[in-house]
């Protein structure tokens, strides 16, 4: 019903920048929160940033001040601008979205397949 497709990952030197994109299709009208998680080898998956349909944002502590999340509702796309990248930012980045169903009192989560970001000299 909802599909998420990420793009924009790649190799970048420390201190560089990248912009990730996540395009949503399907029943996008029901999606209110979108965000990014990341997972590095041997590490737990962690929240990077999230944004509501109204523009409220939340960031993980490790990326505050360096990353910026935004969304274009007309294009059904969410972006993650990453500045001042560090080797510790190397991970697979996953787009995430969820919606709630008041009638059933539950929540439905959607995940993209991920895009790899490598920060290295």
């Amino acid at each position: 019903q909802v599909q998420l497709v990420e793009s924009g990952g790649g190799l970048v030197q420390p201190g560089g920048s990248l912009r990730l994109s996540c395009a949503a299709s399907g029943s996008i009208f029901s999606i209110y929160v979108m965000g990014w998680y990341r997972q590095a080898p041997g590490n737990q998956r962690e929240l990077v940033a999230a944004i509501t349909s109204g523009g409220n944002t939340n960031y993980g502590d490790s990326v505050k001040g360096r990353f910026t999340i935004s969304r274009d509702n007309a294009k059904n796309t969410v972006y993650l601008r990453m500045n001042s990248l560090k080797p510790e930012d190397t991970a697979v980045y996953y787009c995430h979205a969820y919606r709630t169903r008041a009638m059933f009192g539950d929540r439905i989560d959607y995940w993209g397949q991920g895009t790899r970001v490598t920060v290295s000299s």
Side-chain angles (χ1 to χ4, degrees):
Q1 190 171 354
V2 174
Q3 296 81 43
L4 305 175
V5 180
E6 305 100 328
S7 63
L11 174 65
V12 65
Q13 294 184 352
S17 299
L18 282 175
R19 189 181 74 164
L20 306 183
S21 299
C22 175
S25 61
S27 300
I28 190 61
F29 64 89
S30 65
I31 301 298
Y32 292 97
V33 179
M34 299 184 68
W36 294 89
Y37 286 74
R38 69 185 183 186
Q39 187 167 23
N43 291 355
Q44 300 289 327
R45 184 172 297 186
E46 64 176 350
L47 172 70
V48 177
I51 186 169
T52 69
S53 60
N56 298 113
T57 60
N58 184 41
Y59 294 92
D61 290 338
S62 63
V63 306
K64 288 180 179 178
R66 298 188 297 121
F67 292 8
T68 303
I69 189 170
S70 61
R71 66 190 295 169
D72 186 335
N73 291 326
K75 296 182 178 180
N76 298 323
T77 301
V78 63
Y79 305 95
L80 183 69
R81 180 67 180 182
M82 304 183 294
N83 295 326
S84 302
L85 283 163
K86 306 174 181 179
E88 307 92 273
D89 296 317
T90 297
V92 176
Y93 286 70
Y94 297 91
C95 186
H96 170 256
Y98 75 83
R99 66 181 179 94
T100 59
R101 301 190 301 177
M103 181 177 297
F104 298 96
D106 65 357
R107 161 177 159 173
I108 301 176
D109 292 86
Y110 305 94
W111 292 92
Q113 292 185 345
T115 184
R116 173 171 289 276
V117 172
T118 302
V119 184
S120 176
S121 298

